[in-house]
């Protein structure tokens, strides 16, 4: 029978469970930073009481971390490590407390830059708390930078294509330079040796053997 750590099955990693666990750690500390009057005003603006504010924020905002609204893609998924989930989740919950304190006009201005969020916003006829929380849920994943928008994904693909092109050009230049270095230099042409000068006058006549006088 196996003993020790090998006998203890490890619990499967669950990003959703870590998101909720992070909320239980971060939200109380962040909400405690607010003065009592500000905390009461915040709860009233969200349509809940102070005692249930943490639970209300957790239930309202938790889905957006792993499933952001619009055409954005989450940075976390089942393949993310527990450390990655913990770090982004804690950032997400800190940002949630900062975001819910913004005026509705400021929230609407943030959402206005992303047309894909329009279907997730409340109608103008909805109550003020409903409009506020709809804006918070829509904007929070992008405000906390826990997702990648379509524009960011397209820009990343464009940069990736540019880098690939630069690498290919550098590789071609390196191949050309390597081929040039291996090509032997051309042989220098040698000039033919100069021919000896020929006499331009008439050739001398041989001397007569009898007279010993040149003819």
């Amino acid at each position: 029978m196996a003993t020790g750590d090998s006998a203890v099955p490890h619990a499967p990693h669950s990003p959703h469970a870590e998101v909720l666990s992070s909320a239980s750690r971060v939200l109380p500390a962040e909400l405690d930073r607010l003065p009592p009057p500000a905390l009461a005003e915040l709860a009233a603006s969200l349509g809940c009481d102070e005692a249930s504010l943490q639970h209300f924020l957790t239930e309202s905002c938790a889905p957006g971390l792993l499933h952001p609204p619009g055409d954005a893609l989450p940075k976390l998924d089942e393949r993310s490590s527990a450390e990655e989930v913990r770090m982004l989740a804690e950032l997400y919950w800190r940002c949630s407390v900062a975001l819910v304190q913004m005026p509705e006009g400021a929230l609407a201005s943030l959402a206005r830059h992303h047309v894909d969020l329009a279907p997730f916003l409340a109608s103008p006829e909805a109550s003020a708390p409903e409009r506020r929380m709809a804006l918070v849920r829509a904007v929070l994943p992008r405000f906390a930078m826990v997702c990648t928008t379509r524009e960011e994904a397209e820009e990343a693909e464009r940069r990736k294509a540019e880098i690939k092109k630069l690498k290919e050009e550098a590789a071609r230049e390196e191949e050309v330079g390597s081929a040039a270095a291996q090509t032997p230099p051309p042989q220098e042409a040698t000039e033919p040796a100069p021919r000896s000068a020929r006499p331009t006058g008439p050739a001398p006549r041989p001397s007569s053997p009898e007279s010993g006088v040149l003819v």
Side-chain angles (χ1 to χ4, degrees), residues 77-162:
D77 55 28
E78 296 296 332
R79 297 168 297 179
S80 302
S81 67
E83 181 66 14
E84 290 174 326
V85 176
R86 183 188 65 78
M87 291 178 60
L88 281 185
E90 290 183 356
L91 173 64
Y92 184 77
W93 292 119
R94 291 191 184 97
C95 288
S96 71
V97 176
L99 198 64
V100 294
Q101 298 179 71
M102 288 187 180
E104 183 179 337
L107 293 171
S109 179
L110 291 174
R112 195 175 299 122
H113 295 290
H114 306 281
V115 295
D116 59 305
L117 295 180
F120 301 90
L121 305 181
S123 67
E125 293 77 20
S127 66
E130 289 175 337
R131 294 196 307 269
R132 170 179 288 276
M133 277 313 301
L135 285 165
V136 169
R137 285 191 296 267
V139 172
L140 179 56
R142 304 178 192 216
F143 181 78
M145 296 185 293
V146 297
C147 64
T148 302
T149 65
R150 176 177 54 82
E151 294 84 358
E152 291 170 339
E154 290 175 351
E155 177 64 16
E157 287 298 321
R158 186 185 67 80
R159 290 293 303 154
K160 187 186 298 184
E162 288 181 353

Side-chain angles (χ1 to χ4, degrees), residues 158-172:
R158 186 185 67 80
R159 290 293 303 154
K160 187 186 298 184
E162 288 181 353
I163 293 173
K164 180 181 178 182
K165 182 179 179 181
L166 290 174
K167 288 183 177 179
E168 290 174 349
E169 291 176 352
R172 284 195 296 268

Side-chain angles (χ1 to χ4, degrees), residues 40-54:
E41 182 180 353
L42 176 60
S45 70
L46 299 177
C48 65
D49 55 61
E50 295 180 46
S52 62
L53 184 54
Q54 176 185 334

Side-chain angles (χ1 to χ4, degrees), residues 167-201:
K167 288 183 177 179
E168 290 174 349
E169 291 176 352
R172 284 195 296 268
E173 291 178 359
E174 185 176 353
E175 289 177 1
V176 172
S178 177
Q182 295 176 5
T183 302
Q187 296 291 334
E188 294 184 1
T190 56
E191 296 182 359
R195 300 176 64 182
S196 58
R198 296 180 178 179
T200 56

